[in-house]
Amino acid sequence: MLALGVAILALVALDGLLPAPSRESAAPTPAPGRVRQGDLQAALDDATTALLARDRSAWDAALPATGAARRAMGALYRRLAPLPWTSLRLVAEPVSGRPGRFFVGAVGELGHAGPDDRIFARRVVDAELRDGRPVLRDDVTPAELRGQGVMAFDRPVVVRRHGLVVIAERRRRAGAEALADAGGPARRRLRLLGIRGGAPVVVWYYSSRAQLLRSLGEDPGEVRIRFFSHAPLRLGERPTRTRDIGVLGPALAGRESWAPRMLAHELTHAYTARWFEGSRHAPTLLAEGLATAVEGGRSFTPLRRDLAAATSAFPLEKALRARSLWKGNPVAKVRLAYLEGASLVLYVLDRWGLAALKRFVTAVSDSDLSRGGLDTATRRSLGIGWAELRSGWADFVQTLP
């Protein structure tokens, strides 16, 4: 229902394992006996081979560790080893100004759902040389990184169906399988926007809000979040083909029949986020409008009542300029905005077609969202002014369910 990033809330995605200022700084020259990045990377390469072979003994031999570091590496192995990796590598980056301290990241692709540089887990460890070999002697991972990604799951499993790669707790496998099954009818709804097939999408199926927050590594600040999309945490900066989906499993209890529509909504975010790339703005109203139109099944009666009222509760132009439809607004107002966005998308699609809809979304997103900017955007993309579009939209709303 909610979308993080281009649609609702942006997650902080580091460009690498290190914050940018640290990564730009040159690592200090190691003193004799001090662990070099290459030393640790060689050990991690051997550990990666052991993990993919699910050989715990070889893993322990590749990464000798003591105390907290040993426990941390054991937890990392237990989370990563059972999963169906398309590709995986463990990478080390030095922490600037702290000789012997490294970020260790698990980077790869799961179940053919890209990108291939997704960061699934991160640890910060202290290492030293003993008899010429790196030994991990402590785990100093900050709390916000400790449970991030797949580390939020005690015993993760993956369910793959209908182009979904669902990550869940083993004890929640039945719910994950039901969600994956809902992917079939959900994908059929995407045809409204010409989306057929499409790259696999990672779906994080959370057992609790606490687990959700651990996995994200931050509190998005909106307690009403239940279902959302967000950009994957990754090493690189090039655009991704899709976004991830987050689902709070308990929120589906008693609403399982709605799961296909919910997934259709979030999959729309996952696939249409690229429509907004490079634009000056990414209006939440348009992103949610696309997703709500695909979701379907909503009554537009509240919107008709609003249009008939002397004063709108959330005028279309104001809603288009809102960075967040949720922040500070009651649910009824948010739902009204979703209906505005969906009806606008359906109107443009019905009158001008899919290609024009994409032009319209891009043009509006690249405008300054003022009345004049909207007028220029609609003339460039649809051949009519904003006032005429708005009038036609209001008439179209009267024909909707």
Side-chain angles (χ1 to χ4, degrees):
M1 186 74 77
L2 292 175
L4 309 186
V6 69
I8 289 285
L9 180 69
L11 293 179
V12 177
L14 300 179
D15 292 338
L17 297 175
L18 293 173
S22 296
R23 193 174 57 170
E24 291 170 0
S25 303
T29 302
R34 187 173 293 162
V35 175
R36 298 173 182 266
Q37 181 178 5
D39 297 329
L40 183 55
Q41 187 58 61
L44 290 174
D45 291 344
D46 290 341
T48 301
T49 300
L51 189 147
L52 293 174
R54 299 182 180 177
D55 186 337
R56 178 59 188 271
S57 296
W59 167 273
D60 290 338
L63 288 176
T66 61
R70 182 177 179 85
R71 291 189 293 274
M73 292 302 104
L76 191 64
Y77 179 89
R78 288 192 299 274
R79 265 68 165 195
L80 300 179
L83 304 182
W85 296 103
T86 307
S87 64
L88 177 68
R89 63 190 190 277
L90 299 176
V91 296
E93 289 189 11
V95 176
S96 181
R98 298 300 299 266
R101 181 165 291 182
F102 296 87
F103 278 85
V104 173
V107 178
E109 181 178 311
L110 194 60
H112 297 282
D116 61 3
D117 63 346
R118 183 196 303 270
I119 302 171
F120 283 92
R122 290 188 288 182
R123 281 293 179 268
V124 183
V125 298
D126 287 336
E128 62 186 12
L129 282 182
R130 296 181 186 175
D131 298 325
R133 293 189 62 197
V135 175
L136 307 184
R137 61 179 178 81
D138 200 5
D139 171 56
V140 292
T141 308
E144 64 270 19
L145 300 186
R146 191 173 298 277
Q148 202 173 36
V150 77
M151 298 304 293
F153 297 79
D154 293 328
R155 300 182 66 193
V157 295
V158 169
V159 177
R160 290 182 287 176
R161 291 174 195 165
H162 303 295
L164 302 182
V165 179
V166 184
I167 303 172
E169 290 285 4
R170 183 178 298 276
R171 66 180 184 277
R172 303 295 183 191
R173 186 180 187 105
E177 290 179 342
L179 184 66
D181 286 339
R187 284 189 173 278
R188 289 194 287 274
R189 304 195 67 83
L190 295 174
R191 296 172 185 170
L192 179 73
L193 297 182
I195 302 170
R196 300 176 184 273
V201 173
V202 170
V203 180
W204 302 83
Y205 184 80
Y206 300 112
S207 301
S208 66
R209 179 169 172 78
Q211 185 180 59
L212 181 157
L213 295 179
R214 286 198 307 274
S215 186
L216 294 182
E218 65 173 351
D219 188 340
E222 175 51 74
V223 297
R224 293 172 291 184
I225 284 181
R226 299 291 185 271
F227 318 102
F228 55 92
S229 70
H230 65 90
L233 184 66
R234 50 196 296 265
L235 286 177
E237 298 178 347
R238 69 184 186 277
T240 58
R241 297 173 63 191
T242 65
R243 293 163 64 86
D244 290 357
I245 293 173
V247 172
L248 185 60
L252 280 175
R255 307 172 68 191
E256 289 82 2
S257 62
W258 179 64
R261 291 184 183 274
M262 178 276 292
L263 271 178
H265 184 115
E266 302 306 338
L267 282 169
T268 302
H269 287 312
Y271 288 118
T272 62
R274 299 192 71 173
W275 292 20
F276 300 88
E277 285 175 7
S279 60
R280 296 167 64 187
H281 303 278
T284 301
L285 186 83
L286 290 182
E288 292 298 349
L290 291 167
T292 305
V294 170
E295 175 191 336
R298 299 199 186 200
S299 168
F300 288 83
T301 299
L303 178 55
R304 282 192 287 273
R305 290 173 180 162
D306 183 77
L307 290 175
T311 304
S312 172
F314 208 168
L316 179 62
E317 293 79 8
K318 183 177 180 180
L320 269 170
R321 289 190 290 271
R323 296 186 65 182
S324 169
L325 299 178
W326 285 83
K327 187 175 182 179
N329 292 325
V331 172
K333 189 172 180 179
V334 176
R335 288 174 176 166
L336 176 65
Y338 276 43
L339 294 178
E340 286 181 312
S343 58
L344 183 60
V345 165
L346 290 170
Y347 173 53
V348 174
L349 186 62
D350 180 74
R351 179 170 171 181
W352 287 278
L354 181 58
L357 174 62
K358 291 181 179 179
R359 291 197 305 271
F360 172 74
V361 168
T362 300
V364 170
S365 298
D366 209 28
S367 76
D368 62 6
L369 301 181
S370 67
R371 285 268 188 173
L374 292 174
D375 188 73
T376 299
T378 53
R379 289 184 186 281
R380 188 169 74 231
S381 60
L382 303 177
I384 64 171
W386 176 254
E388 183 179 348
L389 174 73
R390 201 185 194 290
S391 176
W393 163 73
D395 291 339
F396 179 76
V397 169
Q398 307 306 314
T399 70
L400 295 174

